[in-house]
Amino acid sequence: MLKVFADRGGTFTDIVAVTNNQAIIDRLAQHPERFLIVTLPNQQWVIVYKLLSENPEQYQDAAIQGIRDILTLADHEPMPTEILEAVKMGTTVATNALLERKGDRVVLLITKGFKDALRIGYQNRPDIFARQIVLPTLLYEQVIEVEGRYDAQGNELTPINIAQLRSGLQAAYHNGIRSCAIVFLHSYRYPNHEQQAAKIAQELGFTQISVSHQVSPLIKLVSRGDTTVVDAYLTPILRRYVNQVASQLPGVRIMFMKSDGGLVAAEKFQGKDSILSGPAGGIVGAVQTSKRAGFESVITFDMGGTSTDVAHFKGEYERQLDSEIAGARMRVPVLAINTIAAGGGSLLFFDGSSYRVGPESAGSNPGPACYRRGGLLAVTDANVMLGKIYPQYFPAVFGVDGNLPLDKDIVVQKFTQLAQEIATTTGNTRTPEQVAAGFIAIAVENMANAIKKISLQRGYDVTQYVLCCFGGAGGQVACLIADTLGMKTIFLHPYAGVLSAYGMGLADIRAIREGGVEKSLTPELIPQLVQLMSSLTTQAKSEQNQAGEEEVVRKVNLKYQETNSTLTVDFDSEVAQMQQAFEIEHKSRYGFIQTEKSLIVESVSVEVIQKMDTPDEPLITRTRSLQEAPTTVQTVQMFTGESWHNTPVYQREDLQPEDHITGPAIIVEKISTIVVELDWEAKLTERNHLILQRKGLWVIRKGTPII
């Protein structure tokens, strides 16, 4: 048996596998520098592996190559799929296609008179002082205005013009377009015309037909239309990638992570659900491992090579219905993730007067300067310069042949040149390490501001939360981020460097269905809501084709009459209960309530959760006496607090429960590096969880810091 969980990021692809096959473990144990192997109860093992997402000289697809490496297959050997029980993946394929505008060609069918509705949008001005507004590139290539109209009450004002519609679609098909998005006025409630149009498109041979009343059955033509266009634009790209993976793994059960934090079978994975596929796995991994560690209020901090994702958790996953990603508006449930372009690969610039970090990224090819591919200076290089990353403790996967360690010499050389350039330009003489520390300070401030947006600016006291740090670069700046925010506790899981991949294995199968309502919240409305949610539950269950324990969560999206800001509360048969929950949330979010206004039910949602088996985490025991401190492997020089410090280096696998490490210190793993800054200390628990706290603080069971 072999289960594989994979997350393809912008720089690295992370793989976590669970197996009971002794032969696989025996082969991988011969390469301890490449694979981390953890023993579980019941004769099982966890395998952790990282490889570059882009390495065209070596392989075509990183996830497939990772599986082949774990199975130690040569290039010509076929995949022994009979031992693969399941593959669960997150992918950036659709996200990259959206960012780079490399999706499929799309024809848009829209109600006559609304040809430019999606181009006009909501007239938002992201930069109110810009004299020239640069609109994002449209995702559709051609528009066909269709005669046919319902009014808001469901009366057919104009029948659909079948001949005109068929003629327009035929011309688009002959022009080579194979993807069609159908968006008609009021069709979220009255879908008959869209169904007719979809049938004609299918008859003409369109291979992708996205229909708005199925993709996003909610009011608001523009965001519903944009969501449908995104789905039509990305689903073919996604389908080709899924088919490519499936062709390499015939007969294997393949599942993908959706943007809402749930898994779905590969054949049902759609473009609209794929934009936050990878980051969603990280949120699930961070939340589930934090709960196992006894923490219920969590700020998740995922710093990878290209970007940093942060999210807030207090009892349940936070989702948002309306979002805008890469200039495309979408109206589908996605995890509330704040992403900024700051990661280990973020490029460092001096513009003649100030330091700048990102948003451009070095990616994995060429990568930062230390990757030996001729790259520019990046955040990772700054940590190398500061002595927080040492090549001998980093995977040797660099250079053209992918077998060399990081290059520290080129980093020192480039920072020395940059320090000289800054001194010449500004007269400000700073050492290379001070320059590197300045860039790190800017990156940390940017990332801390991202956390403030999802916590402090929404009324949450961030100092009462644990900071769950993960991602390949998260442990390098964890203490600095916490210092900036006044947070006192940091949680680092043993798989923190690959937690997004591990999250795929901890996730459940989830199916969410929404239905528009737009009626006043009254006792008379409750039976209608119950009936609608019953229908949505049936639809959601039809997506899940296996037996198992199920949980159904019902939510209501409420807003004040004549307003547009909705808040989500749990459904209750008592109107007063939902009104009270709405007012509490509104008061927390906005600081006031409007008792004179009635509440409107904008929409309802039903989430069907199917529980899955998740990997166990072993308990570890202490074999050394409590008085015996952990051994160090080396003492190095690390620059922190404006000076160099003698800093002990510890191997994570050498630590035992109850071990305390006082900063400054470095804890190295095969998959990440953890920096314990001045005034911080680290403690290992029996679950192999690393808890970092400000000096003088201790953690009790539920994660509450006390003096």
Side-chain angles (χ1 to χ4, degrees), residues 376-397:
L376 302 174
L377 285 176
V379 170
T380 297
D381 297 310
N383 278 320
V384 171
M385 184 70 223
L386 297 174
K388 297 182 177 181
I389 294 176
Y390 278 83
Q392 61 267 40
Y393 304 118
F394 215 79
V397 295

Side-chain angles (χ1 to χ4, degrees), residues 63 223 284 287 314 324 326 347 363 511 641 669 672 705:
S223 52
V284 173
V287 166
K314 193 173 185 179
E324 182 172 334
L347 295 177
E669 307 172 310
S672 66

Side-chain angles (χ1 to χ4, degrees), residues 13-28:
T13 290
D14 302 335
I15 295 180
V16 177
V18 179
T19 186
N20 60 0
N21 191 316
Q22 181 75 57
I24 294 176
I25 298 303
D26 291 341
R27 290 195 297 268
L28 298 184

